[in-house]
Amino acid sequence: MTIRVLIADDQEMVRRSMRRIFEQQADIEVVGEAADGAEALEGAIRLRPDVALLDVRMPRADGLEVTRHLLAPAAGFPGRVVIVTTFDLDEYVYPALRYGASGFLLKRSGPTLLVEAVRAAVAGDSLISPSITVRLLRHVTGPGTGPGRGPAPGPGSRSGAGRRSGTPAVPAAPAEPLTKREGEIAGKVGEGLTNADIAAEMFISPGTVKTHVASIQRKLGVRNRVGIAVWAWEKGYVTK
């Protein structure tokens, strides 16, 4: 399977550099480029790539607005969005994840992480720059939650008093109870494991994990794995 990618960045040099990186990958094809947000939105709707790579700061519409429009339920966009930016700022990270982005990378992360982020998005995983992941989980888990911070609140309890405004919202309790296996997988997602990692640990197929993750997202009403991870940390499902 060839992964079709759209690159949106207002700097031609950046677009050219990313294109060169992807051209070295047998399973990734760049199907379009955009120099501003309006072009990115139009191109994504017209080309329907598997992954849209969006810079944040672009003329006419920023990457966050494009993400919000593309991933709105009514948009019908079938692909994934990965934000790639120079700026490690909370006011960019949290809205991007809240709108449903499957990844948030800093441009200095390098080509390996960029390629991994595209593949992870298509596989239903999320890849976020490590420094951002650590900060995110510190912000969304208040004192007394998470591993090593006193008693875990446990399934169904309420916590998150330390939640930062704008972080991905998760329900106090799922609309439909998670099964025991789904709770275990939610905890693994909270540990940062990919579907393949979880499958290997639990002796099930990656496809089965993907099905469980989709079910967990539906029950929790979250739009990506980050939402699952936040919920799992807040409810004490993360044990490592």
Side-chain angles (χ1 to χ4, degrees):
M1 169 187 162
T2 299
I3 302 171
R4 303 170 69 253
V5 171
L6 171 72
I7 301 171
D9 195 289
D10 61 341
Q11 297 183 50
E12 183 180 358
M13 183 176 66
V14 173
R15 298 197 307 273
R16 197 161 55 231
S17 175
M18 287 187 183
R19 179 181 280 275
R20 280 199 297 267
I21 291 168
F22 293 131
E23 284 176 346
Q24 297 174 25
Q25 312 302 316
D27 59 335
I28 299 177
E29 175 190 5
V30 177
V31 296
E33 296 183 15
D36 61 51
E39 284 184 11
L41 184 58
E42 185 276 330
I45 293 171
R46 175 172 51 85
L47 297 170
R48 298 173 76 81
D50 298 306
V51 179
L53 291 169
L54 306 178
D55 187 19
V56 173
R57 294 185 179 179
M58 293 187 290
R60 299 174 69 191
D62 65 36
L64 299 178
E65 272 300 293
V66 176
T67 300
R68 184 175 69 83
H69 283 291
L70 283 179
L71 300 182
F77 178 64
R80 308 279 184 166
V81 170
V82 173
I83 299 293
V84 185
T85 182
T86 304
F87 306 99
D88 181 7
L89 299 175
D90 289 352
E91 58 259 40
Y92 294 157
V93 176
Y94 298 118
L97 299 178
R98 189 171 66 248
Y99 295 150
S102 296
F104 194 105
L105 289 185
L106 302 178
K107 289 179 180 177
R108 63 175 180 266
S109 297
T112 300
L113 272 183
L114 180 64
V115 171
E116 287 181 5
V118 167
R119 291 177 178 149
V122 171
D125 293 323
S126 297
L127 198 155
I128 302 173
S129 288
S131 61
I132 296 174
T133 301
V134 171
R135 190 171 75 246
L136 173 70
L137 290 174
R138 282 176 178 167
H139 283 172
V140 299
T141 55
T145 65
R149 298 186 179 183
S157 66
R158 292 176 177 266
S159 65
R163 174 182 297 282
R164 181 187 180 92
S165 175
T167 55
V170 294
E176 181 183 343
L178 269 60
T179 65
K180 181 180 178 182
R181 175 54 60 91
E182 287 171 345
E184 293 170 351
I185 290 176
K188 301 293 184 186
V189 171
E191 292 170 18
L193 301 187
T194 67
N195 286 357
D197 294 333
I198 296 170
E201 280 203 10
M202 302 184 73
F203 303 102
I204 56 180
S205 73
T208 298
V209 176
K210 188 174 182 178
T211 299
H212 281 304
V213 169
S215 175
I216 295 167
Q217 286 183 211
R218 177 182 58 80
K219 289 181 178 181
L220 296 182
V222 297
R223 301 186 64 178
N224 52 33
R225 295 170 74 89
V226 177
I228 296 176
V230 170
W231 183 86
W233 273 71
E234 288 192 339
K235 304 306 176 187
Y237 281 90
V238 180
T239 57
K240 291 184 180 180

